[in-house]
Amino acid sequence: MGSGHSHGGHDHGGHGHGGHGHDHTAGANARSLTIALGLTGGFLVAELAGAWLFNSLALLSDAAHMFTDSAALAIALAAIRIGQRPADKKRTYGYRRFEILAASFNALLLFAVAGYVLYAGIQRFIAPQEVQSLGMLAVATAGLVVNLIAMRVLAGGKEQSLNVKGAYLEVWADMLGSLGVIGAAVLIYLTGWRWVDPAVAIAIGLWVLPRTWILLRDTTNILLQGVPRGLDLDTVRAAIAEVPGVADVHDLHLWSIAGDDRSLTAHILIGPDTDAIPVRRAVAAVLAERFAITHTTLQTEDEAGPCAGCGHD
């Protein structure tokens, strides 16, 4: 298809959909991320000190997750600030995709941390080390409180932003990690079993991996311009084909820029003696009503060639 196909035969539905609402959401997410970053970043130093002082791998594993929490929150904040920049002549979609790159980096970082903890945990099973359980308990309890507060702060924005969702999942996993460390500290205090510390450290690492994989899968799908989650391309194609006047649909593309939006382009073959403009409007209405796809570019063609009904030769 040549570039000439673009003349006049397009309907752009809902171009204003990303304006003030997105800015408001981004501002709210930035505030919650800033608060959570202050909490987790502030406690990270204490947890690292505790892991070193009390020789606890479980605390170190929890601290590693706390570090990735802080990194995730800092990157997410930067992503929101950069993502709010308007589109320009070089980046016609703007900078919102930066948020997805940041979320992918967070997932890869968590994979690396989990790998280190698994390795160190196995080493400690081979050569058990003394752990100061009471100090470990005190630090883990404080960490639990910090994580619960951070989870509460982030809960509101996790459905609107993949980055906030990623940060929430990491804090949630870290909260479970704190519970695990508390349990390990009590058990070590009561029994003296040194192997409990690396066992809990490994369990924390394994617990976070499935959630990290889900986050990486979702962000990779967006980066590959995949069909957004919750939509089926064949169903969308069939819905377009059912519109009166549509004879065929081809060159159908459906993607998302940052996970909370949906864009579609398609070439639509219309029947003879059919007015293209009402058909395009009807298709755009069906896409908006049934699939919440409000950013559409539809090109109509007839048997004679592209640009049907658009007034150009």
Side-chain angles (χ1 to χ4, degrees):
M1 296 295 173
S3 60
H5 293 191
S6 60
H7 295 296
H10 296 192
D11 268 338
H12 301 276
H15 273 200
H17 72 286
H20 298 298
H22 176 70
D23 292 341
H24 176 75
T25 302
N29 288 341
R31 283 191 296 275
S32 62
L33 287 167
T34 301
I35 295 168
L37 176 60
L39 289 167
T40 56
F43 185 73
L44 171 63
V45 177
E47 192 159 36
L48 283 172
W52 179 73
L53 285 171
F54 308 126
N55 198 33
S56 170
L57 184 62
L59 265 184
L60 181 62
S61 176
D62 201 38
H65 284 304
M66 187 72 84
F67 171 77
T68 58
D69 292 346
S70 300
L73 291 163
I75 295 169
L77 269 172
I80 287 176
R81 301 298 185 204
I82 294 171
Q84 285 178 323
R85 292 182 184 177
D88 55 35
K89 291 179 181 178
K90 279 192 172 183
R91 293 170 181 84
T92 56
Y93 280 109
Y95 293 78
R96 293 191 60 215
R97 183 57 66 82
F98 183 85
E99 180 176 348
I100 305 304
L101 290 171
S104 298
F105 176 76
N106 294 342
L108 292 172
L109 194 61
L110 265 177
F111 270 119
V113 168
Y116 169 75
V117 168
L118 291 174
Y119 169 78
I122 292 169
Q123 295 297 110
R124 285 216 177 183
F125 269 119
I126 297 169
Q129 297 185 23
E130 188 70 38
V131 177
Q132 297 181 37
S133 56
L134 288 179
M136 179 179 166
L137 177 63
V139 175
T141 303
L144 176 63
V145 173
V146 168
N147 284 316
L148 288 172
I149 296 171
M151 282 175 63
R152 177 71 178 168
V153 169
L154 294 170
K158 67 185 176 70
E159 299 306 324
Q160 286 78 40
S161 164
L162 266 179
N163 243 330
V164 176
K165 182 181 179 182
Y168 179 86
L169 285 174
E170 290 184 41
V171 174
W172 183 75
D174 201 32
M175 181 271 294
L176 294 172
S178 295
L179 286 174
V181 177
I182 290 170
V186 171
L187 196 57
I188 293 169
Y189 179 76
L190 294 175
T191 65
W193 295 338
R194 297 180 184 179
W195 59 265
V196 172
D197 181 61
V200 169
I202 290 172
I204 292 170
L206 292 175
W207 179 261
V208 79
L209 283 178
R211 288 150 192 83
T212 306
W213 169 250
I214 290 169
L215 180 63
L216 187 61
R217 181 195 67 190
D218 289 351
T219 54
T220 301
N221 183 59
I222 292 171
L223 290 172
L224 291 174
Q225 304 286 77
V227 174
R229 288 189 71 190
L231 290 179
D232 178 74
L233 195 65
D234 289 337
T235 304
V236 174
R237 187 189 303 274
I240 296 173
E242 289 169 4
V243 174
V246 175
D248 187 35
V249 184
H250 60 101
D251 286 353
L252 175 62
H253 299 282
L254 180 55
W255 73 97
S256 175
I257 296 298
D260 58 354
D261 60 286
R262 296 170 174 184
S263 298
L264 178 144
T265 61
H267 289 197
I268 299 170
L269 183 67
I270 62 174
D273 303 319
T274 301
D275 189 352
I277 293 175
V279 173
R280 284 200 303 271
R281 288 176 179 166
V283 170
V286 166
L287 291 171
E289 291 165 13
R290 286 189 55 181
F291 307 105
I293 302 171
T294 54
H295 192 285
T296 58
T297 303
L298 305 169
Q299 178 174 304
T300 49
E301 304 168 355
D302 61 19
E303 300 297 344
C307 203
C310 65
H312 292 264
D313 293 331

